[in-house]
Amino acid sequence: MVEFQLLDVDYVNVNGKPIIRIFGKTEDGESVCAFYENFVPYFYAEDGADRVLEGEPQVIEMERVTKKMVMGYNVTKQLYKIKIKDPSKTPELRERLSASGIKTYEADILFKYRFLTDLDMQCLGWIRTNVDNGAATNTVSVDKKIELKDMEKLDKEKDAPLKIMAFDIECIAMEAGNVPDSKTDPIILISVVFSEPYKGQKSMVLGTRTGRGVNPYTSEKEMLEGFVNIINEYDPDIITGYNVNNFDIPYVVERMRQNKVKPVFGRCNEKQVMARKIGNRYKVSISGRIIVDSFELVKKDFSLKRYGLDYVSQNLLNEKKVDVKHSEIERLWKGSTEEFEKLVNYSRVDSVLAMNLVQKLNLIDKYVALSKISGTLLQDTLNMGETTRIENFLLREFNRRGYVYSGRPNQSEVSRREKNRRKELKGGFVLEPEKGLHSSVLVLDFKSMYPSIIRSFNICPTTLLTNESQEPPEDVITTVAGTKFVSKNVKEGIIPHVLEKLMKKRQETKRALKKEKDPAKKKSLHARQWALKILANAFYGHMGYVRAKIYNLDIANTITSSGRDIIHKTKTEIEKKYGYKVVYGDTDSVMVKVDNETDMQKIRQIGTEISKHITEKLPGYLELEFEKFFKQFLPLTKKRYVAWKFEPDGDGWQEGIEMKGIETVRRDWCDLVSETLSEIIEIILKKGDVKGALEYFKSVIKNLMRNKIPTEKLVITKTITKAPGKYEGIQPHIEAAKKITARNPNEAPGIGDRIGYVIIKGTDMLSKRAEDPTFVAERGIEIDPKYYIENQLLPPMERIFSVLSISKSELLGNGKQMGLMEAINNYNETNHIKVLPRTETNGFICTKCSKFYPRIPLVGTCECGGELAFSSPKGMVKQVTL
DNA sequence: TGCGAGCGGGG
DNA sequence: GTGTACGCTCGCA
């Protein structure tokens, strides 16, 4: 008997017959490959297929079947179920049929998914088989080979232990300053890190130079062969590294090709590792193993200013890279023993960090949970988007109930949909926010609004009444959008049904999570409830996604218009019944100003009371919830606000600053901006002191004018993206790079390097005044305060103050809300810029050439010399006086 | 405001 | 492999 957990599936063609291979792992950590024969590929096609495929040798059998269609209530069709020999011939047959105007169904389901769906097997699910014989094949390299004859699916929560291997390569670019080219530039070092010791070692560095801690090889070819052997012997389930998908793996594969080394380090001895270029990215696959690119996962899961390995490991792991610049690698490689050792260590640490990111941040937990729920293979869950998961999930649910799933839209269908969607799909309801700083605001949210709407109105392609629907029944729900769905009594929609299952499972999981003490189980339960939420929330978006197989604009519109209707009614009811003002609302939430109530007990009570009342009045499963309390709430525009929030936390409250649509960290801002912005927001919200915030802003400007701000806070960072000569315009970071190069040709920055610079005083054009911060600090060169005030500080600060200057004019002295302008003029007499309060304006427009500016340009006039006027969505408003 | 181009990470 | 595969930021009108 063997029990194993399913990790990956593929198939091989043996004598014209496909054999499914299931790669898995036992609880003891043995790798398994189970072969499943006699699974026949098939698809469906409409009438006429018999004629077109007459005499086709691929066809084994054509069976007449009646299938339910996904789109429209009670639509059935007579189809042919066409069984064929070779799954890879399907596209060809599909195209032939389609050329004759015959529609096909499920002819775009990958064979491995056809298998998983029909046998109802889950990725990471457990399988038990009584056969324990080694299958007679040496095409795979695993601990156990099994012929899968009789099997049983097990309901087992436990996960098999997965072996991880991280690696990183170093190479030297022939052309200095360029990224190495795998066609010409050899690999010099490969570092490898193991999650379980391999030959007693936690890590290894392979190299073509001898030295301490290096496994030496006489040539690159030999080293690559050594690398292949290590992988195959260690037999990892997961291969990771930083940017392995788009750099290391394609690079290694190409070097192997150059050196005539077979890139075979998957669990199949016959399949080479694939690294195919698609667009400007690579798609890589290693059969039987899972590639986890820690760079791509970090980028998806964490919001950071930068994603370089140095920055990422510093910020997420609090671990440091060995400090080696790319330009130094060649020198270290050719240098002294010590220098070489530094390089070896540098390489090793990079692999360690890639491994630590995966392990310490639990990067794959979420994807494991998503795979288990959606039935998508882990590798696909990692690489692909939500669409794949939803479609894999729904294929099972629809097939199980006698439906044949719709096909993927072709390019022309996609563009047709895109055109209509832009015109016709209306989004959620966003209330124009009441201007000003509000105190005591309740935030009430609809719990999973769109899923609840879908369930409440039984919204599903299979319940939608279309003109193809047979015998429209009496019991019909007419939605606010005018669409009609049969009620649940007549027939429960599949999507509402699965949503109910998912939402209930989530509640159960959350309950279990509360009781669970074991940290490992807690982690997996947490990931599970998260994945259930993500999947449930994705259905609405999916049906409104133009590439979805079950795209339906009417359904998407029904969901959003129901949402708008509900929010609208909620607002009206709250204002009518309680006399409170709804100051803002967005899609599924309303913000209610509760006079100036500050008693937290009372707040909670009012919030609960309103939610309860509204919930009772609403149809179906819709539920309004008291989410949190904003002690101070400052809306800037739709979708953008800052607030001092208090979230209920047991009997107490969790306090914090919430910012929506406002970034305090942006890569093109220097630290001074982020710091000042955060500070000002904090003063306004927590102290309610707009004047104080203004004073603070003035003091920052004062310090800037007196050259008292540390240079490092003024550094702006940009990446060199192409050769210096290829830049058309003059750009500050390029000018700074030129200066660095001129002073020290050894340190010349190249393509891909990030350049930090500051803007110094002078008469040259701005870009020419960009300077190396170290140089500026050493020489005590004066920075240009005007630049920092106008280009860096002012735009974000003005966004905050402009909404306040109107509503809080009493604080600044009546009619003298130009405080910000004064602040600047006090310290800079030559300044021409006036900050005007933003009322109905969305920017500025030239009176002469009509060029639009979101903000007043520095020079105060348009490029063409024309004068600027306020622009509003309704047109030009009034003249700007400068 | 609304859209298209272009780049990220890696050495 | 029953393949065709981003997603955000920035500059420009």
Side-chain angles (χ1 to χ4, degrees):
Chain A
M1 187 198 74
V2 184
E3 273 182 29
F4 65 96
Q5 196 177 14
L6 186 152
L7 294 183
D8 194 17
V9 175
D10 69 359
Y11 79 92
V12 274
N13 208 314
V14 180
N15 305 324
K17 244 183 83 177
I19 298 176
I20 294 277
R21 300 191 299 194
I22 305 173
F23 293 95
K25 199 91 204 228
T26 67
E27 217 175 307
D28 309 328
E30 280 185 309
S31 56
V32 171
C33 182
F35 296 83
Y36 189 97
E37 291 187 49
N38 301 322
F39 183 73
V40 182
Y42 67 87
F43 62 92
Y44 300 95
E46 289 183 339
D47 283 349
D50 47 340
R51 216 177 352 90
V52 177
L53 296 183
E54 177 110 57
E56 164 61 47
Q58 270 298 320
V59 177
I60 301 170
E61 190 192 340
M62 284 179 100
E63 190 192 339
R64 203 69 172 140
V65 291
T66 305
K67 285 281 163 185
K68 296 185 209 164
M69 296 290 117
V70 168
M71 208 52 75
Y73 167 69
N74 201 14
V75 182
T76 55
K77 238 178 208 162
Q78 291 273 103
L79 298 172
Y80 286 105
K81 180 175 181 178
I82 303 168
K83 293 187 183 169
I84 61 167
K85 290 177 188 159
D86 180 358
S88 72
K89 293 294 186 298
T90 314
E92 199 186 306
L93 298 181
R94 179 183 66 206
E95 293 319 313
R96 233 163 82 199
L97 287 164
S98 137
S100 306
I102 294 159
K103 247 178 134 171
T104 55
Y105 295 87
E106 300 186 7
D108 51 10
I109 310 291
L110 264 47
F111 191 51
K112 58 187 181 187
Y113 281 111
R114 179 80 278 164
F115 171 77
L116 289 168
T117 304
D118 289 11
L119 278 83
D120 196 23
M121 302 217 289
Q122 297 289 339
C123 180
L124 299 153
W126 286 88
I127 295 162
R128 176 197 285 154
T129 168
N130 293 318
V131 192
D132 193 359
N133 61 327
T137 175
N138 47 19
T139 56
V140 290
S141 54
V142 286
D143 299 326
K144 263 202 168 92
K145 300 160 194 168
I146 316 162
E147 223 177 293
L148 201 53
K149 284 229 168 95
D150 68 314
M151 61 163 167
E152 198 186 328
K153 283 166 282 171
L154 303 178
D155 201 15
K156 205 163 146 174
E157 275 299 314
K158 203 171 171 178
D159 286 322
L162 298 184
K163 268 201 234 176
I164 312 177
M165 187 197 100
F167 83 102
D168 179 45
I169 61 166
E170 312 301 328
C171 28
I172 300 164
M174 256 199 330
E175 229 176 303
N178 278 336
V179 179
D181 179 356
S182 58
K183 289 254 184 320
T184 53
D185 305 334
I187 298 173
I188 53 170
L189 287 175
I190 304 175
S191 62
V192 193
V193 170
F194 311 100
S195 65
E196 291 166 31
Y198 166 70
K199 293 192 169 162
Q201 288 180 272
K202 283 238 77 171
S203 69
M204 279 181 181
V205 181
L206 325 185
T208 49
R209 175 182 165 179
T210 36
R212 187 144 51 106
V214 182
N215 291 20
Y217 293 89
T218 52
S219 67
E220 187 192 23
K221 179 182 166 85
E222 222 193 272
M223 178 173 70
L224 291 169
E225 283 164 351
F227 183 53
V228 167
N229 286 337
I230 290 168
I231 301 172
N232 288 329
E233 244 185 81
Y234 179 62
D235 190 25
D237 303 294
I238 291 173
I239 293 183
T240 188
Y242 206 74
N243 204 22
V244 276
N245 272 340
N246 277 291
F247 185 73
D248 300 73
I249 295 175
Y251 205 103
V252 163
V253 169
E254 178 58 31
R255 290 315 298 163
M256 288 185 179
R257 203 153 284 145
Q258 299 279 334
N259 283 284
K260 310 252 184 306
V261 177
K262 278 236 158 69
V264 176
F265 46 93
R267 281 177 169 149
C268 173
N269 298 333
E270 294 174 329
K271 280 192 187 171
Q272 299 197 347
V273 171
M274 296 281 287
R276 289 200 36 196
K277 199 162 187 165
I278 179 136
N280 60 346
R281 311 185 63 73
Y282 284 91
K283 154 89 186 133
V284 292
S285 63
I286 304 178
S287 61
R289 306 195 204 282
I290 295 154
I291 305 160
V292 173
D293 190 329
S294 43
F295 159 63
E296 291 188 341
L297 297 193
V298 165
K299 206 168 53 166
K300 268 194 243 173
D301 293 348
F302 296 88
S303 174
L304 298 173
K305 200 167 159 185
R306 285 163 47 195
Y307 292 93
L309 182 56
D310 50 352
Y311 189 85
V312 166
S313 37
Q314 185 64 253
N315 284 275
L316 301 179
L317 300 171
N318 200 21
E319 290 172 33
K320 272 197 165 61
K321 246 174 94 97
V322 177
D323 189 23
V324 172
K325 291 198 194 75
H326 298 134
S327 49
E328 290 179 289
I329 293 178
E330 187 168 8
R331 191 169 53 78
L332 297 179
W333 172 249
K334 291 174 178 162
S336 67
T337 311
E338 290 72 36
E339 284 174 315
F340 177 54
E341 272 173 19
K342 185 181 180 188
L343 184 64
V344 170
N345 197 28
Y346 159 82
S347 180
R348 193 190 310 268
V349 170
D350 277 8
S351 287
V352 170
L353 292 172
M355 175 69 86
N356 287 352
L357 285 169
V358 171
Q359 292 188 314
K360 296 191 180 169
L361 303 177
N362 303 304
L363 287 184
I364 51 179
D365 289 13
K366 286 175 163 191
Y367 299 91
V368 165
L370 281 169
S371 278
K372 286 180 179 173
I373 295 161
S374 68
T376 308
L377 293 170
L378 183 54
Q379 184 71 80
D380 295 333
T381 303
L382 288 161
N383 286 349
M384 324 251 251
E386 202 61 56
T387 312
T388 315
R389 291 193 282 267
I390 298 253
E391 288 185 341
N392 278 322
F393 177 78
L394 286 181
L395 177 69
R396 293 165 190 253
E397 298 291 341
F398 278 84
N399 276 182
R400 201 175 278 165
R401 294 169 178 83
Y403 287 84
V404 67
Y405 210 72
S406 316
R408 183 174 299 130
N410 58 25
Q411 196 47 56
S412 70
E413 174 64 11
V414 168
S415 27
R416 199 184 62 79
R417 288 177 181 182
E418 273 169 348
K419 221 180 278 163
N420 287 334
R421 198 190 118 103
R422 248 199 305 279
K423 272 202 309 245
E424 288 163 31
L425 181 63
K426 277 172 81 187
F429 176 81
V430 190
L431 188 65
E432 188 62 52
E434 196 94 340
K435 284 245 158 62
L437 183 61
H438 304 283
S439 44
S440 302
V441 174
L442 293 178
V443 183
L444 309 176
D445 269 40
F446 283 97
K447 224 166 144 179
S448 320
M449 187 191 231
Y450 286 165
S452 299
I453 287 172
I454 293 172
R455 289 177 61 202
S456 301
F457 305 118
N458 202 30
I459 295 171
C460 186
T462 65
T463 54
L464 176 69
L465 290 186
T466 66
N467 38 22
E468 276 182 273
S469 303
Q470 295 157 24
E471 318 150 41
E474 294 297 301
D475 204 354
V476 160
I477 300 167
T478 305
T479 67
V480 286
T483 45
K484 291 178 163 55
F485 298 87
V486 300
S487 84
K488 203 172 157 180
N489 310 326
V490 178
K491 177 186 160 18
E492 185 180 24
I494 292 179
I495 290 173
H497 177 79
V498 299
L499 273 175
E500 182 179 340
K501 275 205 304 195
L502 292 172
M503 288 160 90
K504 282 192 173 153
K505 270 192 199 163
R506 177 156 188 250
Q507 291 316 313
E508 281 165 29
T509 310
K510 281 173 89 173
R511 266 198 297 274
L513 181 61
K514 265 195 182 151
K515 281 188 237 148
E516 186 60 63
K517 289 277 177 285
D518 179 48
K521 283 184 188 159
K522 258 186 122 95
K523 245 185 242 163
S524 109
L525 284 171
H526 185 267
R528 183 176 156 79
Q529 71 82 21
W530 174 88
L532 284 161
K533 181 176 89 183
I534 294 299
L535 195 68
N537 285 334
F539 283 93
Y540 152 70
H542 184 72
M543 289 188 282
Y545 176 54
V546 291
R547 311 184 103 89
K549 294 175 180 177
I550 58 163
Y551 172 81
N552 187 300
L553 192 54
D554 288 338
I555 289 180
N557 259 323
T558 301
I559 297 166
T560 53
S561 17
S562 304
R564 288 194 301 273
D565 181 55
I566 287 158
I567 284 282
H568 210 85
K569 284 180 176 152
T570 302
K571 175 181 187 289
T572 314
E573 178 65 16
I574 291 173
E575 292 183 339
K576 195 184 89 194
K577 169 142 174 130
Y578 299 93
Y580 293 136
K581 179 100 183 109
V582 172
V583 288
Y584 182 60
D586 182 357
T587 312
D588 64 351
S589 63
V590 282
M591 319 272 192
V592 187
K593 186 161 173 159
V594 286
D595 301 332
N596 284 315
E597 188 57 64
T598 49
D599 182 87
M600 295 305 271
Q601 202 60 39
K602 206 78 182 288
I603 299 285
R604 202 184 284 247
Q605 196 193 319
I606 299 170
T608 318
E609 154 65 21
I610 299 177
S611 305
K612 199 174 143 232
H613 173 72
I614 299 290
T615 301
E616 277 164 11
K617 293 208 118 192
L618 289 171
Y621 303 95
L622 284 148
E623 202 182 317
L624 190 66
E625 239 182 356
F626 169 49
E627 171 88 8
K628 59 197 161 196
F629 174 62
F630 287 164
K631 196 157 189 157
Q632 294 292 335
F633 173 53
L634 178 65
L636 303 181
T637 56
K638 282 181 176 183
K639 305 234 177 222
R640 304 175 130 212
Y641 62 78
V642 293
W644 185 14
K645 72 165 174 197
F646 288 77
E647 276 176 298
D649 181 15
D651 288 334
W653 301 84
Q654 184 112 44
E655 168 258 11
I657 297 282
E658 181 170 314
M659 293 188 223
K660 197 110 198 204
I662 322 255
E663 313 127 291
T664 50
V665 272
R666 275 179 48 164
R667 31 167 86 201
D668 53 350
W669 285 352
C670 63
D671 287 352
L672 180 69
V673 177
S674 316
E675 275 173 28
T676 313
L677 189 59
S678 303
E679 189 60 34
I680 278 171
I681 289 170
E682 191 123 354
I683 296 171
I684 293 169
L685 294 174
K686 292 202 174 172
K687 299 198 178 135
D689 186 3
V690 178
K691 231 178 187 168
L694 198 58
E695 287 300 323
Y696 179 80
F697 186 47
K698 283 183 195 174
S699 75
V700 172
I701 291 175
K702 202 188 256 177
N703 285 335
L704 206 46
M705 303 293 295
R706 293 178 183 166
N707 217 13
K708 279 194 169 163
I709 307 280
T711 316
E712 67 262 24
K713 289 196 179 181
L714 301 173
V715 178
I716 303 156
T717 318
K718 274 192 180 138
T719 309
I720 301 181
T721 56
K722 46 192 170 184
K726 294 226 170 128
Y727 278 91
E728 281 189 22
I730 301 164
Q731 291 199 28
H733 66 298
I734 302 301
E735 294 307 307
K738 282 185 192 163
K739 290 179 192 172
I740 295 168
T741 311
R743 279 182 215 119
N744 190 354
N746 292 337
E747 299 261 297
I751 297 172
D753 280 352
R754 293 189 63 85
I755 303 296
Y757 63 89
V758 293
I759 301 293
I760 58 169
K761 262 194 181 155
T763 47
D764 269 346
M765 64 186 293
L766 190 141
S767 294
K768 299 263 183 195
R769 286 187 279 119
E771 212 7 303
D772 176 19
T774 341
F775 187 72
V776 168
E778 280 167 10
R779 306 279 174 112
I781 300 169
E782 267 191 280
I783 55 101
D784 179 11
K786 193 159 170 269
Y787 169 80
Y788 284 95
I789 294 168
E790 291 168 0
N791 289 48
Q792 290 271 321
L793 287 169
L794 214 43
M797 303 307 153
E798 188 253 4
R799 273 195 271 273
I800 305 274
F801 281 114
S802 62
V803 284
L804 289 164
S805 57
I806 297 153
S807 60
K808 288 284 169 184
S809 58
E810 65 276 18
L811 267 181
L812 296 169
N814 202 21
K816 290 198 177 153
Q817 63 271 66
M818 294 293 181
L820 188 58
M821 181 195 80
E822 287 171 27
I824 291 156
N825 283 343
N826 278 345
Y827 297 105
N828 188 353
E829 299 77 12
T830 59
N831 199 298
H832 308 294
I833 311 296
K834 289 185 181 187
V835 177
L836 293 145
R838 236 176 234 200
T839 48
E840 291 294 299
T841 65
N842 62 347
F844 304 89
I845 195 161
C846 175
T847 49
K848 213 164 124 193
C849 71
S850 295
K851 187 173 159 62
F852 178 82
Y853 294 90
R855 289 191 301 272
I856 308 180
L858 284 185
V859 283
T861 51
C862 179
E863 298 168 332
C864 75
E867 285 208 277
L868 295 169
F870 282 116
S871 141
S872 88
K874 290 163 213 136
M876 210 177 276
V877 184
K878 57 190 161 184
Q879 210 59 34
V880 180
T881 38
L882 289 169

